[in-house]
Amino acid sequence: MFLWYLANQNSFRELSDKFDVSQGAAHKVIVEVLDLTCLLASSFITWPTHCEKRTNAVLFRRACGIDGIVGAIDGCHIRIQRPPVRGGDYLNRKSFYSILLQGIVDDQGKFIDIFTGPPGRVHDSRMLRASPFFETWMQYMGQYKLLGDTAYIAQTYPFIITPKRDNGALTVDDQQLNAQISRGRVVVEQAFGRLKCKWRRLRDLSNTRVDIMVKIIVAACALHNMCTGLGEGTCNEHPHGCPREDDENHGRLNFGVSETTRTTSGPLSANVLAR
């Protein structure tokens, strides 16, 4: 029932009819399994070990020709209904209400760190600065780096390699490096596409409390990692890759962050997810 709930956008009335249980019982099951899945999330969304970092770096080198890369970072919007409290903060530049998911993925598109909950008007770079990962990036990154888009162009993020903005005066070397970064970071775009394609509840979380939305996103990311690399194969509907909705978060407005949850292999994950 829980997997069906995350993989579809059915209402609790439809869920009740399909599984022949009352709506109250269906709701109770979903909430209980959701809480359990979130508690298990830190076991499936883990930062790579030293050996895994070296392996990731080799595979990213093969994919894009850039040395020392262990992952790619990006943010995406999860559509929601306007919350009753500070609802205007959730209206993004695409003119719909959303909360944000920041994901760092490895070469397979598995999440190695997530941070979710900021309102839709927050810029990707602002979300990164608000995330627990940013507070300890030196500890996690070491000599390695991430690939990111132009949202992360700043001296504040020395651990992210970003493309140069095309101002009409890029050299041939600059254009080649931009192309290499694009080839490497496409893995995070594809991960978000697969996430929303398999767990379709994330396409629209209307009529859901913000705290429950955050748990649903965390659970979906954990299930995404459980499925990745286990003989899942390609998507039947999209054999050449699941398309990502046009939800890129490149706005310029900065607002406060609320209702956030983050998971990683570090000690902070247990404390955050247990709240």
Side-chain angles (χ1 to χ4, degrees):
M1 187 186 300
F2 177 71
L3 293 177
W4 181 268
Y5 172 80
L6 282 188
N8 296 277
Q9 294 181 295
N10 302 78
S11 65
F12 274 104
R13 177 177 295 177
E14 294 169 313
L15 199 66
S16 171
D17 291 341
K18 181 172 182 64
F19 289 92
D20 195 24
V21 296
S22 68
Q23 293 186 48
H27 184 270
K28 181 180 179 181
V29 167
I30 297 305
V31 170
E32 288 182 353
V33 181
L34 183 61
D35 287 339
L36 289 172
T37 306
C38 287
L39 288 175
L40 292 172
S42 59
S43 299
F44 291 92
I45 305 174
T46 59
W47 192 257
T49 64
H50 181 68
C51 291
E52 290 170 337
K53 288 179 183 177
R54 287 190 295 178
T55 301
N56 289 353
V58 170
L59 295 174
F60 270 106
R61 166 74 181 181
R62 292 176 184 173
C64 64
I66 302 177
D67 291 321
I69 304 299
V70 294
I73 183 172
D74 201 4
C76 81
H77 291 275
I78 308 296
R79 184 183 294 268
I80 65 172
Q81 189 174 354
R82 179 187 171 110
V85 179
R86 298 185 64 182
D89 287 358
Y90 293 83
L91 183 65
N92 61 43
R93 74 181 190 91
K94 297 284 186 178
S95 298
F96 65 88
Y97 297 96
S98 64
I99 59 176
L100 295 171
L101 165 64
Q102 174 183 283
I104 304 176
V105 304
D106 63 11
D107 62 286
Q108 297 181 65
K110 293 180 68 173
F111 292 106
I112 56 178
D113 186 273
I114 63 169
F115 176 63
T116 186
R121 297 184 75 176
V122 173
H123 188 275
D124 276 358
S125 61
R126 174 69 179 87
M127 176 165 55
L128 174 57
R129 290 197 301 273
S131 68
F133 174 81
F134 186 70
E135 300 174 3
T136 55
W137 69 263
M138 290 185 182
Q139 172 186 346
Y140 286 107
M141 296 303 301
Q143 62 182 344
Y144 296 99
K145 296 184 182 295
L146 302 174
L147 295 178
D149 60 20
T150 55
Y152 304 103
I153 295 180
Q155 294 182 350
T156 312
Y157 316 118
F159 55 95
I160 302 179
I161 297 178
T162 58
K164 292 186 176 181
R165 291 192 174 95
D166 189 355
N167 57 6
L170 292 181
T171 65
V172 174
D173 289 341
D174 290 337
Q175 294 176 7
Q176 181 178 353
L177 179 59
N178 282 2
Q180 289 177 291
I181 294 172
S182 179
R183 287 200 302 272
R185 65 172 300 278
V186 71
V187 66
V188 68
E189 299 279 352
Q190 294 171 342
F192 285 136
R194 291 200 306 275
L195 180 72
K196 287 188 175 183
C197 191
K198 177 173 278 296
W199 310 112
R200 299 187 179 186
R201 179 69 53 177
L202 297 188
R203 294 181 179 180
D204 191 342
L205 289 179
S206 296
N207 302 318
T208 308
R209 293 197 331 244
V210 173
D211 59 328
I212 299 297
M213 296 176 195
V214 169
K215 291 181 180 180
I216 289 173
I217 296 169
V218 171
C221 291
L223 290 170
H224 169 91
N225 279 12
M226 292 181 197
C227 296
T228 301
L230 296 178
E232 180 190 33
T234 57
C235 173
N236 293 330
E237 295 184 25
H238 309 105
H240 302 294
C242 302
R244 177 180 174 181
E245 297 177 8
D246 184 21
D247 64 356
E248 288 80 6
N249 182 31
H250 303 311
R252 297 180 180 178
L253 297 175
N254 293 334
F255 288 80
V257 177
S258 62
E259 296 290 351
T260 53
T261 295
R262 181 255 197 174
T263 177
T264 184
S265 56
L268 287 174
S269 61
N271 295 332
V272 174
L273 290 172
R275 280 207 293 265

